Amino acid sequence: MEARRAAGMLIRRDTAVGNWTAAPSPDPNTAPSTHPLNPVQRGPPYGTTTAVVGGVPTIATDVPISAVLLALFLASAAAHMTILQLNKRRGLKFLFSGMLFALCVLRSAALSMRMAWAAHPYTANVAIAAGILTQTGSVLVFVINLILTSRLVRGWQPALGWHPATRLAARLLIAGVVASLLMVIAVTVQSFFTLDTGIRAADRTVQLVAGMYMAVLAFLPLPILLLAGRVLPRTQRIEKFGAGRWRSKVRLLIFTSALATVGATFRVATGFAPRPLSSPAWYHSRACYYCFNYVTDLLISAAFLLSRFDKRFIVPNGAKGPGDYAKGRPSPKQSHNFGQALTSDEEIHLDSPGLASDTIIWPFTSETLSVSWQPQILPELP
């Protein structure tokens, strides 16, 4: 009798395909279906009675898709690492390129694990590893977007952006990401190896809360940008930094934050809408699995890479307060060396106070040139 009751409760979280949330406990009178993780349902880890996003991978379908995405992520990782090393040789610190390199490596590892799972569908440890790795990449995007957003806020609203309370709030949000990720990994592993309904319920709660926290964090840059750029009044000119137009920086963060929000929202929403194993919904398809877990991150990585965000968001080392960002804007010589052109209305100022009308002055330098010269203006970044 006890064995039959235990068999009726056999269930595990659908982490193997990348969801944050556990499926609810099935009807105690319903025996679980056979599952590749544990086809005979004996001993941990335990199979699932609910549909999972992406399903169990197969060699014919999942390996080719994963191989293509793997190649793209490896190429993106190589590009970010190249930029990181080039900037390092020039004495420029931009660690976000290294974080995106780590994102691409984690995504590559997750795809490799999924291909291994397709080749060994009855190996539980591979499936568990594939599910955990699927979750560990996107959090880096959330952190990058949040920090870059704080830099724009400091440019728009220096007093607010540099306020100690604002800086503390940003650090607490990032600390929450780390804590949530560690808790999710812990309860995920635990949920594979227990039949206790109370423990599984607690695990599910942790997974749901962490998933919602990640979705909110992914979305957070959008209202912050709106509030700092459009709602709050400005008492001074924008304190610009880096290269390129200010509006291009804003649009880039809006794009990446929107994509990150779509992926995070999908992952947590699927946990609130479980379906029986025999009746999966449209959001359990392989297309949804790859698009919302991998394609979104690949597009974000490509957007940062192609826009050369390392030039757009670079700020002076040791910046600690209002005015520090503007001190580090590139001179014309630096713009020539690194391809960091300012917008045309910032490159030259004609008829400036205290200068003759036939004089051109380059900003942030003491050099003046006669207008009879024909200096070549570098093309601006879009």
Side-chain angles (χ1 to χ4, degrees):
M1 179 64 68
E2 292 298 327
R4 182 177 302 174
R5 185 179 297 110
M9 295 188 296
L10 292 178
I11 185 173
R12 66 162 188 84
R13 174 183 172 272
D14 53 348
T15 310
V17 293
N19 286 344
W20 283 103
T21 57
S25 298
D27 185 343
N29 298 320
T30 302
S33 303
T34 300
H35 191 274
L37 278 179
N38 194 358
V40 294
Q41 297 294 337
R42 294 176 183 171
Y46 302 105
T48 179
T49 61
T50 58
V52 293
V53 182
V56 178
T58 62
I59 294 177
T61 303
D62 292 83
V63 169
I65 298 174
S66 297
V68 172
L69 291 172
L70 175 61
L72 293 174
F73 274 113
L74 289 176
S76 183
H80 285 298
M81 178 53 66
T82 299
I83 291 176
L84 178 66
Q85 294 301 321
L86 289 176
N87 285 334
K88 185 177 180 181
R89 293 175 186 175
R90 295 164 178 161
L92 300 177
K93 292 182 179 179
F94 196 77
L95 300 182
F96 302 110
S97 294
M99 294 176 67
L100 285 176
F101 168 78
L103 165 69
C104 294
V105 170
L106 288 172
R107 281 288 176 248
S108 299
L111 289 165
S112 299
M113 279 295 175
R114 186 163 178 84
M115 289 190 288
W117 184 18
H120 305 280
Y122 297 103
T123 305
N125 291 337
V126 174
I128 296 173
I132 293 176
L133 285 173
T134 301
Q135 300 301 329
T136 56
S138 297
V139 294
L140 293 174
V141 174
F142 307 154
V143 174
I144 291 173
N145 283 339
L146 185 64
I147 297 177
L148 296 184
T149 298
S150 69
R151 292 187 175 183
L152 291 183
V153 173
R154 291 168 182 173
W156 268 319
Q157 309 285 345
L160 174 63
W162 288 104
H163 195 278
T166 305
R167 301 173 71 175
L168 177 61
R171 292 172 181 174
L172 290 177
L173 288 173
I174 295 174
V177 173
V178 177
S180 297
L181 182 59
L182 293 177
M183 288 189 297
V184 164
I185 293 175
V187 299
T188 295
V189 175
Q190 178 178 253
S191 65
F192 275 95
F193 295 90
T194 183
L195 293 177
D196 188 287
T197 56
I199 294 177
R200 290 204 312 268
D203 291 343
R204 175 176 168 78
T205 300
V206 171
Q207 292 156 357
L208 285 172
V209 171
M212 290 187 291
Y213 178 79
M214 296 295 179
V216 170
L217 189 66
F219 175 75
L220 194 57
L222 298 177
I224 290 178
L225 291 173
L226 177 63
L227 182 65
R230 295 294 183 181
V231 178
L232 297 179
R234 290 197 297 268
T235 58
Q236 63 185 66
R237 296 187 63 182
I238 296 176
E239 186 179 322
K240 297 184 178 181
F241 55 83
R245 295 178 178 177
W246 187 262
R247 68 173 69 97
S248 297
K249 297 179 175 67
V250 176
R251 290 170 181 170
L252 177 61
L253 278 185
I254 290 176
F255 176 74
T256 57
S257 298
L259 274 181
T261 302
V262 169
T265 303
F266 173 83
R267 285 189 288 272
V268 69
T270 55
F272 286 97
R275 296 288 294 271
L277 186 63
S278 59
S279 180
W282 62 268
Y283 49 81
H284 293 111
S285 65
R286 283 180 171 83
C288 289
Y289 170 74
Y290 287 108
C291 287
F292 292 107
N293 283 306
Y294 296 100
V295 174
T296 52
D297 285 349
L298 185 61
L299 290 176
I300 291 172
S301 175
F304 280 134
L305 180 65
L306 297 178
S307 66
R308 291 306 304 270
F309 82 125
D310 59 300
K311 296 178 181 179
R312 296 181 184 276
F313 289 93
I314 190 73
V315 296
N317 292 332
K320 297 180 179 179
D324 289 349
Y325 279 178
K327 296 176 182 179
R329 297 208 75 195
S331 68
K333 182 178 181 181
Q334 291 172 322
S335 295
H336 176 73
N337 290 340
F338 303 111
Q340 296 175 325
L342 304 176
T343 57
S344 57
D345 60 333
E346 295 167 342
E347 286 171 345
I348 58 176
H349 299 275
L350 298 176
D351 298 325
S352 298
L355 296 177
S357 60
D358 61 344
T359 302
I360 295 178
I361 181 170
W362 292 96
F364 316 115
T365 70
S366 58
E367 300 177 17
T368 58
L369 303 175
S370 170
V371 294
S372 60
W373 295 28
Q374 296 296 326
Q376 182 178 2
I377 306 301
L378 295 174
E380 65 182 32
L381 290 172

